[in-house]
Amino acid sequence: MVTYSTWFMAMTWLFAPFLFNPAGFAWHKIVDDWSDWNRWMMNQGGIGVQPEKSWESWWNAENAHLRYSVLSSRIIEVLLCLRFFVYQYGLVYHLKISHDNKNFLVYLLSWVVIISIVGLVKLVNCASRQLSSKHQLIFRFIKLLTFLAVVTSFILLSCLCKLSIMDLIVCCLAFIPTGWGLLLIVQVLRPKIEYYAIWEPIQVIAHAYDYGMGTLLFFPIAVLAWMPIISAIQTRVLFNRAFSRQLQIQPFIIGKTKRR
């Protein structure tokens, strides 16, 4: 019951700004917000770039306090992040591919998969920085090889180890919290590792997490905004008293005034 109430509270926090905004389900407003948000996500950060102008600057500002934390605070932060690994430990043993094997080796193999994913991200990121501008054909060929390697791995695992679609879903449910926990731990260790090659794929993964979260937030809102009846119902609910007094509120919502 606590889990359901927690999820309900999280959903209300995420979607309340849209539900109680008179223009929250206006299609043109959603399109404008999506464009602005994409621009914010893709803008490069750096010195002098404000957090409201770039995701990278915002991300650095949000975690800047960890640079000045004392050792005890960092240790506590790392210990709190370990809770995300519990999901992975519990779910990997429910995979059909494990054949009900409770050996600790199964858990270690799941970490091999995570390390492989980070390696692929590092490979694509390096290729993007070094080849995307001058050697587009080579860069696309590398992406094609990476895609074919991943697909081939899935096919081999499906044929040889009986990997199922449900296993892939369970893997996502297991690895997503683990990746988030790793990102939090890496932020604590950032002063020690940010000048090494491992830092760039970590930042790419953090960007992917936030981009995916934003997409999941925009998608249901866009679907509801696409249906005009939803906007009409929302307007009726929010301004029920105004409707009961026969007031014309639509001009105020769309920002226009009637000429007499």
Side-chain angles (χ1 to χ4, degrees):
M1 188 64 184
V2 175
T3 302
Y4 291 128
S5 61
T6 303
W7 278 106
F8 178 77
M9 181 178 64
M11 292 298 104
T12 55
W13 284 352
L14 289 174
F15 293 103
F18 296 94
L19 296 175
F20 294 98
N21 182 2
F25 293 104
W27 176 253
H28 65 283
K29 293 289 186 181
I30 297 298
V31 173
D32 292 341
D33 290 343
W34 173 260
S35 300
D36 293 340
W37 180 75
N38 268 283
R39 192 180 305 110
W40 178 75
M41 289 293 298
M42 298 304 174
N43 284 342
Q44 291 289 333
I47 299 176
V49 180
Q50 298 299 319
E52 59 269 16
K53 298 295 183 180
S54 169
W55 171 87
E56 185 179 351
S57 297
W58 170 83
W59 189 62
N60 291 330
E62 284 292 307
N63 298 283
H65 67 281
L66 295 174
R67 288 178 172 271
Y68 311 104
S69 300
V70 297
L71 180 61
S72 59
S73 298
R74 295 185 180 186
I75 294 176
I76 293 175
E77 186 74 22
V78 172
L79 292 177
L80 290 175
C81 294
L82 295 179
R83 69 187 187 274
F84 292 101
F85 302 152
V86 176
Y87 295 99
Q88 178 189 354
Y89 183 80
L91 290 176
V92 293
Y93 290 105
H94 289 81
L95 297 175
K96 294 182 180 179
I97 194 175
S98 64
H99 302 293
D100 296 327
N101 189 348
K102 304 302 181 182
N103 196 316
F104 189 72
L105 182 62
V106 176
Y107 184 64
L108 293 180
L109 288 176
S110 67
W111 278 100
V112 172
V113 175
I114 294 176
I115 295 173
S116 301
I117 294 174
V118 175
L120 287 176
V121 173
K122 175 62 178 177
L123 174 64
V124 175
N125 184 52
C126 290
S128 176
R129 289 190 297 103
Q130 299 179 7
L131 302 175
S132 60
S133 59
K134 297 182 180 180
H135 303 86
Q136 280 283 340
L137 185 60
I138 299 177
F139 175 59
R140 293 180 180 179
F141 182 69
I142 292 176
K143 290 201 299 184
L144 177 62
L145 288 180
T146 304
F147 174 76
L148 292 177
V150 173
V151 173
T152 303
S153 300
F154 283 144
I155 294 175
L156 290 176
L157 290 174
S158 178
C159 296
L160 300 178
C161 303
K162 307 300 181 182
L163 180 68
S164 63
I165 300 297
M166 184 57 65
D167 284 346
L168 294 178
I169 297 175
V170 173
C171 285
C172 291
L173 294 176
F175 293 158
I176 289 177
T178 299
W180 185 253
L182 288 175
L183 288 175
L184 296 178
I185 293 176
V186 166
Q187 282 293 340
V188 178
L189 304 176
R190 179 174 181 174
K192 304 294 183 181
I193 65 173
E194 66 177 332
Y195 299 108
Y196 293 93
I198 189 61
W199 180 251
E200 292 181 1
I202 289 173
Q203 190 167 352
V204 172
I205 294 174
H207 183 272
Y209 265 83
D210 286 348
Y211 194 90
M213 185 62 193
T215 303
L216 290 177
L217 180 62
F218 267 104
F219 180 74
I221 298 299
V223 172
L224 294 176
W226 182 70
M227 297 181 287
I229 187 63
I230 300 298
S231 180
I233 293 175
Q234 182 203 28
T235 303
R236 183 74 187 192
V237 172
L238 291 179
F239 300 98
N240 183 54
R241 295 186 64 182
F243 276 108
S244 64
R245 297 177 182 178
Q246 297 182 351
L247 296 178
Q248 297 293 330
I249 64 170
Q250 192 64 23
F252 297 98
I253 296 176
I254 63 177
K256 297 180 180 180
T257 57
K258 286 187 175 181
R259 293 182 179 179
R260 294 184 178 180

